Amino acid sequence: MKGKNIVIIGGNSGIGKEVAAQAEKEGAKLFLYSRSGEGTTQLDITDENSEIQDLPEVIDGLVYCPGSINLKPFHRISPEDFKAEMDVNFFGAVKILQACMKGLKKSESASVVMYSTVAVQTGMGFHAGIASAKGAVEGLVRSLAAEWAPNHIRVNAIAPSLTDTPLAKQLVSTDEKRAASDKRHPLGRIGTPQDIAAATLFLLDEKSSWVTGQILHIDGGMSSLK
């Protein structure tokens, strides 16, 4: 990881911020982007006219963190809601991947990490919007992993369950809500940004040099245990 150029989209909050902190400790050179621009280069991935600036010539790692949690019953999800989910989670990722492709191909061993959700594999009520968008992400991950393998670019995703980030604050805003969320997980707690960041760094590192096209479930056992 030392000396590697790592691009993080959404690098000033939640999981992205923790990935940046852990990667910096490992000696990586960081290129951080976020919508607010606070401590990063400003980039709104939902703005069709927004272009990513100041990318390094060689990109050894790309982490795409933007996401959404909009839980509604299906009959209340409008076409505009579905589009908004896709814009942040899928089309924004496509835009960034295409912008970074040239730099990734110049690396001797590049790694792309994206994020899905446990709700793609495990059917959950009120998750139709986000599960649909992240399902598209998982398809993209596998397709690009196959297409870019000859270029020595690995593409993987992490599928977390509920993680204690600003994005999820409404779901754990009271002691009662947090306790109920903890109880739903076989390991007895929700995830932390550190949990997800540690897995992200593994996928960015050469330790995972034979791993591509995978969806890594870091979810406290939610997807596979009862």
Side-chain angles (χ1 to χ4, degrees):
M1 186 71 68
K2 188 174 182 179
K4 298 288 188 180
N5 292 334
I6 307 297
V7 174
I8 303 177
I9 310 301
N12 72 340
S13 180
I15 292 169
K17 184 176 181 179
E18 182 61 28
V19 171
Q22 293 191 20
E24 187 174 39
K25 286 182 181 178
E26 296 293 325
K29 185 176 181 181
L30 302 180
F31 298 82
L32 307 179
Y33 299 82
S34 70
R35 182 167 57 183
S36 71
E38 184 178 346
T40 67
T41 299
Q42 189 169 21
L43 175 69
D44 184 353
I45 49 91
T46 63
D47 183 353
E48 294 181 359
N49 298 315
S50 179
E51 294 185 2
I52 187 167
Q53 303 290 331
D54 301 321
L55 285 170
E57 183 177 353
V58 176
I59 300 174
D60 300 299
L62 170 62
V63 184
Y64 185 83
C65 300
S68 56
I69 302 179
N70 299 309
L71 307 185
K72 294 181 180 180
F74 181 71
H75 71 276
R76 287 180 51 201
I77 306 176
S78 68
E80 290 74 21
D81 291 332
F82 274 107
K83 183 179 182 302
E85 298 276 19
M86 291 293 291
D87 283 345
V88 171
N89 294 283
F90 181 73
F91 289 117
V94 168
K95 179 178 181 178
I96 295 302
L97 286 160
Q98 289 180 336
C100 292
M101 182 170 57
K102 185 177 179 180
L104 289 165
K105 288 183 176 180
K106 289 185 178 181
S107 173
E108 294 180 359
S109 178
S111 175
V112 175
V113 182
M114 301 173 68
Y115 297 97
S116 181
T117 170
V118 66
V120 173
Q121 177 175 312
T122 305
M124 296 180 174
F126 311 112
H127 283 69
I130 186 60
S132 297
K134 293 297 192 181
V137 169
E138 291 195 9
L140 179 63
V141 163
R142 294 188 177 98
S143 180
L144 285 184
E147 186 173 333
W148 287 356
N151 300 110
H152 305 288
I153 303 171
R154 297 180 293 109
V155 186
N156 296 284
I158 294 171
S161 186
L162 182 62
T163 303
D164 192 5
T165 66
L167 195 64
K169 64 181 180 180
Q170 292 300 321
L171 301 179
V172 291
S173 58
T174 67
D175 291 341
E176 291 77 12
K177 286 182 178 180
R178 180 178 289 272
S181 294
D182 286 342
K183 189 176 180 180
R184 281 196 291 271
H185 292 80
L187 286 179
R189 67 172 177 87
I190 65 172
T192 67
Q194 290 78 13
D195 293 324
I196 310 306
T200 302
L201 257 67
F202 167 72
L203 291 175
L204 289 172
D205 194 82
E206 288 300 312
K207 293 176 183 178
S208 63
S209 62
W210 214 40
V211 179
T212 194
Q214 301 302 308
I215 311 299
L216 188 60
H217 290 268
I218 309 296
D219 58 18
M222 180 71 84
S223 63
S224 55
L225 305 177
K226 291 185 179 180

